[in-house]
Amino acid sequence: MNAYLDMLLSFLYRFIAAGAAAYLTYAVVRQLAHWQFRRGVDRAMDDFLQVASEQPAKIGSSEYKIRSFFRRFSIDVSGQEERAVRNAQILLGLAGGIVFAAAGLPLLISLLVGGSIGYSTVPGAIRSHWDKIRGEIEKDIPTFLRNLAGVLRTERNVLDAVVSAVQAVDEQRPLHPWVMYLAEELRSYGVSAIERLQSEAFEISSALGLVVFEIGRMMQTGGEGYMDAFLNAANNLSELIEVRGEAHTEAAQATGLVRAAILLAMVIYGVLLYAPAGRRILIGSLASQLVLAGSVIWAVIGWNYIRAQIREVTA
């Protein structure tokens, strides 16, 4: 009994030490990154002409995806998006390396495993966050279309009707600024911009692409029948989004099972690592250390592959 208690206490001590070291690394790197970003903002006049890159990013662009992800942590990375991703990868890699080193793996192997985790996990987390934003956009589309169809019964100017209809959508939700951007582009470039805007919309969501197609057809041809077309499109998109919601629910359950399996494997590895006999098996030789490191890296690769396949099916 005492042996198990000592093993448990040893595990807790190592876990707390690894957590403290990871948090310290996080705090230091975050502060350094903050100073680095501030220096970028406070550059001399010769860099002032680059201020356009720090303007609000277009929804769906890589800059927007990265900025919105880091905004969750109250970090502004405007104009420093790629550097922020690299810093996050390094930070997570160091944290993972510290944890594996505390578990008993050699430092070089620990950094290799941690670096692999950081390199693949950060882009995956950014993509997952974007998927949630895209889902919010799709949820608001039927409401916007129904409101637009009603406004068009009294407002014959399509762009004015679009601007009025989107007011029914919360300004803090991503569909509102994108529709405002759509209206501004159409005012500036006319129907010649429809093809470009439709392409941009389809990159965000197929449902949003259909919205731009309907608006473009209304501007090009007009007619009473298109008010009914908007209503029909809204109803059809509602059904489509409902089906997608069910698909996302099924996908979430599948990924939950995979996550549980990975977590169980980590618990088993943890128990074995902190048992003397298990440590001899897992990290007693260079070959076993490489097998352990390879299994962790393979699990990370497999997790990201599964998420990518699910994303492709439910997109």
Side-chain angles (χ1 to χ4, degrees):
M1 187 68 178
N2 291 333
Y4 287 107
L5 182 60
D6 291 340
M7 183 180 69
L8 178 60
L9 291 175
S10 176
F11 171 81
L12 290 176
Y13 291 150
R14 290 175 179 271
F15 182 82
I16 293 173
Y23 179 78
L24 178 62
T25 304
Y26 165 79
V28 172
V29 174
R30 178 175 179 176
Q31 187 61 45
L32 290 174
H34 175 73
W35 289 338
Q36 190 175 32
F37 295 152
R38 290 307 306 166
R39 283 198 301 269
V41 174
D42 297 332
R43 287 174 184 171
M45 285 299 296
D46 59 335
D47 291 330
F48 183 74
L49 294 177
Q50 299 180 5
V51 71
S53 65
E54 300 179 8
Q55 295 301 313
K58 187 185 302 183
I59 295 178
S61 66
S62 60
E63 291 82 4
Y64 178 87
K65 296 175 183 178
I66 295 172
R67 292 182 191 182
S68 62
F69 173 77
F70 281 96
R71 198 174 298 122
R72 299 170 58 195
F73 308 99
S74 301
I75 301 176
D76 183 11
V77 299
S78 301
Q80 303 284 341
E81 291 84 5
E82 296 300 326
R83 184 175 298 175
V85 173
R86 289 196 300 269
N87 287 345
Q89 290 173 319
I90 293 172
L91 170 62
L92 186 58
L94 287 174
I98 291 173
V99 171
F100 282 103
L105 286 178
L107 180 61
L108 182 60
I109 296 179
S110 298
L111 291 177
L112 174 63
V113 176
S116 300
I117 293 174
Y119 177 79
S120 59
T121 300
V122 173
I126 293 173
R127 286 191 296 268
S128 296
H129 179 65
W130 165 245
D131 288 341
K132 294 179 181 178
I133 295 176
R134 183 174 60 185
E136 292 179 1
I137 291 175
E138 292 183 343
K139 287 180 181 178
D140 289 332
I141 286 176
T143 300
F144 167 67
L145 280 179
R146 292 191 184 99
N147 196 35
L148 181 57
V151 173
L152 282 171
R153 297 184 186 280
T154 57
E155 175 59 69
R156 296 305 178 186
N157 186 296
V158 177
L159 293 183
D160 289 342
V162 166
V163 173
S164 297
V166 80
Q167 303 309 315
V169 178
D170 188 349
E171 293 184 1
Q172 301 302 318
R173 295 180 67 82
L175 180 63
H176 188 282
W178 198 91
V179 172
M180 295 301 296
Y181 158 75
L182 170 71
E184 291 174 2
E185 290 294 296
L186 290 176
R187 288 190 192 282
S188 300
Y189 302 102
V191 293
S192 62
I194 285 293
E195 185 175 350
R196 171 176 59 84
L197 293 168
Q198 187 173 333
S199 177
E200 293 180 11
F202 271 112
E203 290 180 2
I204 297 174
S205 166
S206 58
L208 187 62
L210 291 175
V211 171
V212 178
F213 172 79
E214 291 287 347
I215 293 175
R217 293 287 293 172
M218 186 69 179
M219 291 183 65
Q220 291 170 341
T221 61
E224 293 290 337
Y226 271 94
M227 287 181 285
D228 295 330
F230 273 114
L231 283 174
N232 292 332
N235 292 329
N236 293 334
L237 285 174
S238 296
E239 296 177 0
L240 173 63
I241 292 170
E242 183 178 352
V243 171
R244 283 190 175 183
E246 295 176 357
H248 281 293
T249 300
E250 294 292 333
Q253 293 176 353
T255 54
L257 291 175
V258 176
R259 190 183 295 112
I262 294 176
L263 181 60
L264 178 61
M266 292 175 60
V267 171
I268 294 173
Y269 273 136
V271 172
L272 291 176
L273 281 172
Y274 289 98
R279 288 177 64 84
R280 286 194 298 270
I281 294 174
L282 291 179
I283 59 175
S285 65
L286 178 61
S288 60
Q289 292 169 1
L290 292 176
V291 170
L292 175 59
S295 65
V296 174
I297 294 174
W298 184 252
V300 173
I301 294 174
W303 168 253
N304 284 284
Y305 176 79
I306 292 172
R307 292 296 300 272
Q309 293 298 310
I310 292 175
R311 187 180 298 109
E312 182 177 347
V313 171
T314 57

